[in-house]
Amino acid sequence: MSASAFLRALKAEGLTVVEVGDWRDHNRNHKGPWGPVHGVMIHHTVTKGSAATVDICRKGYSGLPGPLCHGVITKDGRVHLVGYGRANHAGLGDDDVLRAVIAEKKTFPSDNEANTDGNRHFYGFECENLGDGKDPWPAAQLEAIERAAAAVCRHHGWNERSVIGHLEWQPGKVDPRGFTMNSMRNRIRDRLK
């Protein structure tokens, strides 16, 4: 979908969207293709403070240039669009998991390989949270994650099994920590009905 269609889809799902800078043209497309896109990946940021979180997800940091996702979901439930196109969020992950996402299987295989470019195949939402298992996930933020993922799925005709956590994609990743992806997929399933 185009950047404009992405924005429309998020707003149509009832989200408060903040457009940050030149988000429509801010991407890493010069490093490789974006697409075909097959799913949505959810992350936590390991940051505190909405302004700082949005800034780092837009600009990146030394060793990992931004954008680090397409949208940043802050604790207040707003979605800050920081990039569109290829973004440095998924990294290398498991080709078996990608096949399961494409097939929308009910269960995912173990992510025991890092042999496939996830930045090419997934929309990414970074969610403001310390990722320590103690930092709370406010209801408004969880609802925004649900709505954002559902918006993308609805546009593409995907179901909830096209939404995964980073921890299901790349060996050694733990995000998002503090809620389960199965519980989030159940919420997305119910919203898509």
Side-chain angles (χ1 to χ4, degrees):
M1 81 176 118
S2 68
S4 294
F6 182 56
L7 176 61
R8 280 194 306 272
L10 295 172
K11 287 184 174 181
E13 208 65 45
L15 288 159
T16 300
V17 180
V18 179
E19 298 180 67
V20 181
D22 61 343
W23 71 271
R24 293 169 188 264
D25 299 311
H26 187 49
N27 57 57
R28 304 286 298 157
N29 290 356
H30 65 285
K31 290 294 184 180
W34 190 51
V37 184
H38 297 295
V40 178
M41 191 173 294
I42 306 299
H43 307 264
H44 65 231
T45 59
V46 193
T47 59
K48 185 174 183 178
S50 296
T53 297
V54 170
D55 191 57
I56 196 167
C57 287
R58 183 179 186 282
K59 295 177 183 173
Y61 51 88
S62 64
L64 193 65
L68 304 184
C69 60
H70 300 99
V72 181
I73 302 176
T74 50
K75 289 198 176 275
D76 60 7
R78 293 185 300 162
V79 179
H80 304 257
L81 299 182
V82 296
Y84 200 72
R86 186 180 177 88
N88 277 334
H89 73 99
L92 293 176
D94 196 303
D95 60 339
D96 296 326
V97 174
L98 180 61
R99 282 191 287 277
V101 168
I102 292 169
E104 295 183 323
K105 292 191 174 180
K106 289 189 178 185
T107 59
F108 298 110
S110 174
D111 57 336
N112 59 6
E113 298 177 292
N115 59 9
T116 301
D117 176 11
N119 294 334
R120 177 180 185 173
H121 295 295
F122 289 95
Y123 294 91
F125 289 99
E126 286 280 357
C127 306
E128 178 190 356
N129 192 277
L130 292 174
D132 58 4
K134 299 173 187 171
D135 192 11
W137 290 92
Q141 187 179 31
L142 289 172
E143 183 175 332
I145 296 166
E146 168 195 327
R147 286 176 183 264
V152 175
C153 289
R154 195 180 305 282
H155 176 88
H156 286 286
W158 298 335
N159 68 34
E160 75 281 358
R161 292 183 298 275
S162 291
V163 182
I164 64 172
H166 201 189
L167 76 169
E168 295 170 305
W169 171 248
Q170 191 175 55
K173 294 297 181 180
V174 299
D175 55 315
R177 182 181 282 169
F179 64 88
T180 68
M181 283 308 301
N182 283 335
S183 68
M184 183 55 66
R185 279 189 285 270
N186 288 341
R187 292 176 65 143
I188 295 163
R189 178 199 62 216
D190 293 346
R191 177 163 296 280
L192 289 171
K193 289 180 181 174

